[in-house]
Amino acid sequence: FLFYGFPGTGKTLLAAGLSNALDATFYVVKCGDLLSKYYGESPKIVHALFEEARRQPQSIIFIDEFDALAGNRDGMDNSADRRLLVSLLTELDGIQHKGSGASRNHVFTIAATNTPWVLDEAILSRFKRRIHIPLPDALAREQMLGILLTNRGYRFQGTPAQFAQLTEGLSGREIEQLVTQAISAMYNRANSELPRLAKQSLKNIREYQLRVEPITGEDLREARGDIRPVATAALAAKLKAWEGQSMA
């Protein structure tokens, strides 16, 4: 499977959830984990990873930042990069293991990328299922209110619909950052004497009880000004154009 979409939309969490649902061994791999400064070592690392996964009754290999590993071969600078890509193609095909006992074990490979248009066509052809992971919609953002605030003991001075409106256009990661900043602003507002307390004795500091107030819409709006959404119109247009070409 190929998961693609804007950064911070939960591609890794979805893969982990799938692994849990299937009771599969879960391998999380970053691009840097497969790269070695020693010539010829990277293909060996790739082979060892898939070999270990095939020993399990059921496993999921999740490769994040896949575009850094499997970019177009025309743009590769050296033969080492090409050898790594060929090794990855071989493992995805599983040619070496067809007909063997290991082939009866299930190895699911999930790759994630924010820029699918840079992937090598040969690699891309191995991923017949390409799943767009979008930004959270209004209903998802309303539910995130409970996950990020209510379930943690905080109260929002507004409705779930208002929270969804204030977080429109943000990824899940950005919404979490927004809420964290809003909570910090609330603590600063409710505990204005903290800077003075820092100069007092350790006994006074330990006895101080932090006050907690509801998170307001203004807290979120002020924090929203510090967030620069990754979901720009230009990036959205690129994704849409690639989807059109990919599905053609």
Side-chain angles (χ1 to χ4, degrees):
F1 298 92
L2 178 69
F3 288 176
Y4 67 93
F6 296 116
T9 51
K11 294 182 280 291
T12 305
L13 286 174
L14 283 171
L18 177 61
S19 173
N20 185 59
L22 296 176
D23 194 23
T25 304
F26 190 44
Y27 299 87
V28 182
V29 183
K30 296 281 188 181
C31 173
D33 298 332
L34 301 178
L35 299 177
S36 173
K37 64 180 179 180
Y38 300 107
Y39 185 81
E41 283 298 308
S42 293
K44 293 179 182 178
I45 295 172
V46 171
H47 177 71
L49 169 65
F50 279 85
E51 192 72 15
E52 174 61 28
R54 289 186 183 100
R55 291 194 183 101
Q56 311 305 322
Q58 194 156 246
S59 59
I60 291 178
I61 297 175
F62 177 76
I63 307 176
D64 201 6
E65 303 167 352
F66 194 55
D67 44 282
L69 183 68
N72 194 298
R73 276 177 283 190
D74 293 338
M76 290 186 174
D77 297 328
N78 55 59
S79 60
D81 292 336
R82 292 177 179 271
R83 284 166 57 89
L84 175 58
L85 189 55
V86 169
S87 176
L88 187 57
L89 284 167
T90 302
E91 296 299 337
L92 289 173
D93 285 339
I95 293 174
Q96 298 173 339
H97 301 273
K98 287 181 178 176
S100 69
S103 66
R104 291 193 293 269
N105 296 344
H106 299 288
V107 178
F108 297 92
T109 303
I110 301 176
T113 178
N114 307 322
T115 53
W117 52 84
V118 306
L119 294 179
D120 184 82
E121 286 298 327
I123 284 282
L124 200 54
S125 68
R126 267 65 175 185
F127 291 89
K128 302 299 184 185
R129 295 295 302 275
R130 305 166 189 179
I131 302 173
H132 179 212
I133 311 300
L135 294 174
D137 59 17
L139 178 59
R141 296 196 303 276
E142 288 182 14
Q143 293 173 336
M144 289 179 76
L145 171 63
I147 296 171
L148 297 173
L149 282 175
T150 311
N151 293 356
R152 295 178 178 178
Y154 297 104
R155 194 158 54 87
F156 175 57
Q157 208 170 57
T159 65
Q162 289 171 330
F163 181 84
Q165 184 179 15
L166 288 166
T167 54
E168 186 176 2
L170 299 182
S171 69
R173 183 185 300 150
E174 290 164 344
I175 293 173
E176 186 173 13
Q177 292 171 354
L178 177 80
V179 168
T180 299
Q181 289 189 36
I183 290 173
S184 179
M186 177 274 293
Y187 276 122
N188 289 335
R189 182 182 66 249
N191 302 273
S192 58
E193 65 273 28
L194 280 179
R196 295 191 302 273
L197 187 68
K199 299 177 182 179
Q200 297 181 23
S201 67
L202 184 60
K203 180 176 181 293
N204 289 345
I205 293 174
R206 285 176 171 170
E207 290 177 349
Y208 183 82
Q209 295 292 318
L210 278 174
R211 289 188 291 276
V212 179
E213 295 180 354
I215 307 296
T216 67
E218 189 59 31
D219 291 329
L220 292 176
R221 275 187 286 270
E222 287 185 7
R224 180 69 172 80
D226 296 329
I227 303 292
R228 297 291 177 265
V230 295
T232 62
L235 187 53
K238 272 193 169 184
L239 277 173
K240 189 172 182 179
W242 179 82
E243 284 179 339
Q245 296 171 0
S246 176
M247 303 304 176

